[in-house]
Amino acid sequence: MPLLIPKPIHFGPFLVTSQVFHITPLSFALVNLKPLLPGHILVSPIRRVPRLSELNHAEVTDLFMTVQRVSRMVERIFNASALNIAIQDGKDAGQSIPHVHCHIIPRHKSDLDHKGGGDKIYEMLDGEEGNVGKHFWERESGGFPKPDADEDRKPRSEEEMLREAEWFAEEMIKDTVSRQSSNNSSS
Amino acid sequence: MPLLIPKPIHFGPFLVTSQVFHITPLSFALVNLKPLLPGHILVSPIRRVPRLSELNHAEVTDLFMTVQRVSRMVERIFNASALNIAIQDGKDAGQSIPHVHCHIIPRHKSDLDHKGGGDKIYEMLDGEEGNVGKHFWERESGGFPKPDADEDRKPRSEEEMLREAEWFAEEMIKDTVSRQSSNNSSS
């Protein structure tokens, strides 16, 4: 089933409509160009502001209810046992696109032992591997990686991201249906 | 002015009332035993559950409104330019105390250059230096550090943390007063 996203969605300066798998009145969730681990997604407010402090009450509430909802879904479908949830709130904290975004990364026991341990996720997040802004710029410039790019992780194709976004969107609907039916049966 | 915290506050198994500088109906903010950088604080729901997914709508909303409010305060008083905001949601994501807690760490340009760059904050967060649970256990056991503890950062005294908590509490009140007066003048 193709996704019905009612209007173009921008993440910073980038058009990301085909990567969006969930949308609310004030927030959206998108799949990543280069996920650090399977299921690594981003949640943003629709309004493009760089800092968390600039969001109003309704936007903060909607953003984190969305974070909770989509994080349950990725944890479930990737059979994960934990999640890293992180916001680089401003450039000096590692933010690469001036638009509030919350990283959600499903985790498994010992998943990064081959990289040197679980805390490597943060090095990856702040290093070249997690530079979301650079990945988008590379796509805009025709996909030519900059010379210092990590060579082992290629940006994913539009087609691949669209398939994942559709999968996640369907799984979000399953969560909603199962919550509604458990609410009905308990009432 | 001594802080008036109406009831004992627990962070996981630990009594932390004297470290708490802000309390809402469903959340609290506390100063750290061993801050990774000046102004590194934690925000938790009052209800002791390990995972974000276990919080109800009101708790999620209250938690992140509190995160936004206290993060504005620490950024202002530490003259910071950015913040790292992170939740280790579950043991396999680095959580050391089974009680939801959001780290807020004020950042400055080049503040960790001497440690090897800004992304070192995450290594610190997930390594020995950021092991909040271990720091608390050491205090409970009379302050004897475990043999593998980082030796250069001593847990702070109750007195020192209480002074900081009082300072932060006063600054929270200033923020409230200044927001109220700007609301009044704009109406």
Side-chain angles (χ1 to χ4, degrees), chain A residues 51-53 55 57 61 64 68 72 75 81-87 89 92-93 109 119 122-123 126, chain B residues 51-53 55 61 64-65 68 72 75 81-87 89 92-93 109 119 122-123 126:
Chain A
R51 301 297 311 275
L52 186 66
S53 63
L55 300 180
H57 188 123
T61 299
F64 289 101
Q68 189 193 42
R72 277 182 182 140
E75 182 166 340
S81 52
L83 301 158
N84 283 111
I85 298 171
I87 300 178
D89 191 32
D92 291 330
K109 191 171 167 57
D119 57 336
Y122 292 120
E123 260 177 80
D126 262 17
Chain B
R51 301 296 311 275
L52 185 66
S53 64
L55 300 181
T61 299
F64 289 101
M65 288 308 298
Q68 189 192 42
R72 278 181 182 141
E75 182 166 340
S81 52
L83 300 159
N84 284 111
I85 297 170
I87 300 178
D89 190 32
D92 291 330
K109 191 171 167 60
D119 56 337
Y122 292 119
E123 258 177 81
D126 261 18

Side-chain angles (χ1 to χ4, degrees), chain A residues 1 4-5 7-8 29 33 37-39 47 49 54 56 58 70 82 84-85 90-92 113 127 151:
Chain A
M1 180 184 70
L4 293 171
I5 301 296
K7 56 182 177 184
L33 209 50
L37 284 171
R47 193 160 64 92
V49 291
E54 296 171 276
N56 63 34
V70 299
N84 283 111
I85 298 171
K91 200 166 169 238
D92 291 330
D113 281 1
E151 292 300 326

Side-chain angles (χ1 to χ4, degrees), chain A residues 21-22 30-31 37-41 68-83 104-108 156 161 163-176 178, chain B residues 51:
Chain A
F21 65 89
H22 188 67
L30 71 158
V31 303
L37 284 171
H40 174 190
I41 55 172
Q68 189 193 42
R69 219 159 41 238
V70 299
S71 68
R72 277 182 182 140
M73 182 275 292
V74 286
E75 182 166 340
R76 175 175 65 76
I77 70 173
F78 286 92
N79 201 19
S81 52
L83 301 158
I104 299 173
I105 308 173
R107 299 297 304 272
H108 300 79
R156 304 192 296 170
M161 289 193 290
R163 272 201 310 271
E164 189 176 72
E166 285 173 355
W167 175 35
F168 289 178
E170 283 167 25
E171 295 295 335
M172 289 300 294
I173 293 167
K174 285 186 200 169
D175 277 357
T176 310
S178 86
Chain B
R51 301 296 311 275

Side-chain angles (χ1 to χ4, degrees), chain B:
Chain B
M1 182 184 72
L3 276 172
L4 292 171
I5 301 295
K7 56 182 178 185
I9 306 282
H10 285 87
F11 177 44
F14 306 106
L15 186 69
V16 294
T17 318
S18 65
Q19 289 170 246
V20 172
F21 65 89
H22 188 68
I23 188 161
T24 72
L26 299 171
S27 311
F28 64 97
L30 70 159
V31 304
N32 241 319
L33 209 50
K34 288 188 178 184
L36 290 175
L37 284 171
H40 175 191
I41 54 171
L42 305 172
V43 181
S44 277
I46 289 171
R47 192 160 64 90
R48 284 182 273 174
V49 292
R51 301 296 311 275
L52 185 66
S53 64
E54 296 171 275
L55 300 181
N56 63 36
H57 187 123
E59 287 168 325
V60 170
T61 299
D62 191 276
L63 183 70
F64 289 101
M65 288 308 298
T66 307
V67 165
Q68 189 192 42
R69 218 157 45 236
V70 300
S71 68
R72 278 181 182 141
M73 182 277 292
V74 287
E75 182 166 340
R76 174 175 64 77
I77 70 174
F78 287 92
N79 201 20
S81 52
L83 300 159
N84 284 111
I85 297 170
I87 300 178
Q88 297 152 311
D89 190 32
K91 200 166 169 241
D92 291 330
Q95 188 184 49
S96 62
I97 290 188
H99 183 164
V100 174
H101 54 285
C102 184
H103 294 265
I104 300 174
I105 309 173
R107 299 298 304 274
H108 300 79
K109 191 171 167 60
S110 309
D111 55 2
L112 291 176
D113 281 2
H114 66 289
K115 290 235 177 193
D119 56 337
K120 293 293 164 188
I121 194 67
Y122 292 119
E123 258 177 81
M124 293 159 74
L125 191 62
D126 261 18
E128 284 302 315
E129 292 180 283
N131 191 329
V132 175
K134 208 180 87 181
H135 303 161
F136 276 101
W137 281 117
E138 283 171 4
R139 177 170 69 174
E140 298 282 303
S141 64
F144 293 106
K146 293 186 184 161
D148 59 342
D150 49 313
E151 292 300 324
D152 52 338
R153 278 166 59 252
K154 301 257 173 288
R156 304 192 296 170
S157 67
E158 282 292 323
E159 172 64 25
E160 187 181 346
M161 289 193 291
L162 186 61
R163 274 200 310 271
E164 189 176 74
E166 285 172 356
W167 174 35
F168 289 178
E170 284 167 23
E171 297 293 338
M172 289 300 296
I173 294 167
K174 285 185 200 168
D175 277 358
T176 311
V177 172
S178 85
R179 257 199 314 280
Q180 279 168 348
S181 61
S182 72
N183 286 348
N184 290 344
S185 65
S186 66
S187 66

